Amino acid sequence: MLTYIEPLYRPPSEAGSLILQVTIGCSYNRCSFCSMYRGKRYEERSWDEIRAEIDYASQEYPNTRRVFLADGDALNIKTEYMLNILNHLYRSFPKLERVSCYAMPKNLLQKSKEELVALRDAGLKLLYIGIESGSDTVLRKVTKGATSKGIIDGSLKAKSAGIQLSCMLILGLGGRRYSREHALESARVASMIAPEYLAALTLLLDDVVRDEFMSKFGEPFEPLSDIEVLDELKMLVEHIEPSSNSKIIFRANHASNPYPIKAVLPDDRADVVALIDDLKSRSHMLRPSHLRRF
Ligand code: SF4
């Protein structure tokens, strides 16, 4: 049977996927805003466990087309081990079309381009990367353990290996003081990476990490109001210019956002900006804060 060590997280777009937990927790686990894996110690599951779960799932769910590998940064697994997992998955599920997982920039930097190509060829087709911010100041203050250069280098290496990217940013992460820098630098990094998908979430601090977040921030953190979040989102959207004339499927429709927005950038930029301006004058349209979750 499939054994999950809770809590279990997956991106919204993997709602219909088979979730296979190949690692437990996050190998880093120190981003000050993130409470997802605080109760777990990072470990990799054994080949015997993973193979048994794949064999079981292939009998129970033989029509599986998509698999998401949990937990927080499954790409931390050594390349040879990941290739074994991918090969066994595609052997076991004849209709399998896509395997995806979360990845940290350091996972990508630690692997060579050749390793990433091998993973892509074995069927790892999509990576979810938490950029969070393009601002090195904000990244440092939230102890992301990554720089904008590392995020760009790692992401472009994955793209050049043929792996699709879905990147995430967090609105409000720099608070009021760094809002402008956060928006502009995030737009710069997103433009350079030009991922296939880009999602903007809105910061909501869990009680588990609130004190730690405030203390690591190193100065008083002033959270953004809903209107300021919309201003930040507008600045972000106005400045995203995907490299190589590519298009980005942009989503700010996560349960943490004040209003669900979907667009293709840069094509829909003017419409999104107009919508945001309209929303600012009709705040009753915004999702009430008690209905939002991170
Ligand atoms: S944001 Fe990602 S890398 Fe940071 S602690 Fe959470 S799961 Fe780990």
Side-chain angles (χ1 to χ4, degrees), residues 26 28-31 33-34 36-37 72 104 132 144:
C26 165
Y28 179 65
N29 217 10
R30 292 198 293 277
C31 299
F33 55 87
C34 174
M36 295 202 299
Y37 304 108
M104 285 181 60
E132 332 300 7
K144 178 65 193 172

Side-chain angles (χ1 to χ4, degrees), residues 9 25-38 71-73 102-107 130 132 142-145 170 294:
Y9 296 95
C26 165
S27 69
Y28 179 65
N29 217 10
R30 292 198 293 277
C31 299
S32 65
F33 55 87
C34 174
S35 60
M36 295 202 299
Y37 304 108
R38 288 302 173 100
D71 272 340
D73 63 333
Y102 286 129
M104 285 181 60
K106 83 173 168 69
N107 305 149
E132 332 300 7
V142 302
T143 57
K144 178 65 193 172
I170 303 178
F294 198 49

Side-chain angles (χ1 to χ4, degrees), residues 197-244:
Y197 308 95
L198 179 67
L201 288 62
T202 302
L203 180 70
L204 287 178
L205 285 174
D206 189 298
D207 288 344
V208 172
V209 293
R210 185 182 307 278
D211 289 348
E212 178 186 328
F213 178 89
M214 296 299 174
S215 144
K216 285 183 171 171
F217 203 76
E219 61 186 287
F221 178 83
E222 292 183 87
L224 300 191
S225 67
D226 286 348
I227 299 299
E228 288 167 329
V229 167
L230 290 173
D231 282 335
E232 192 173 282
L233 176 60
K234 179 178 166 182
M235 202 181 303
L236 175 73
V237 168
E238 282 177 330
H239 288 86
I240 289 179
E241 289 292 350
S243 59
S244 317

Side-chain angles (χ1 to χ4, degrees), residues 11 30 64 104 127 149 168-169 206 254:
R30 292 198 293 277
T64 296
M104 285 181 60
L127 294 174
K149 181 176 186 314
M168 288 154 280
L169 295 165
D206 189 298
H254 186 260

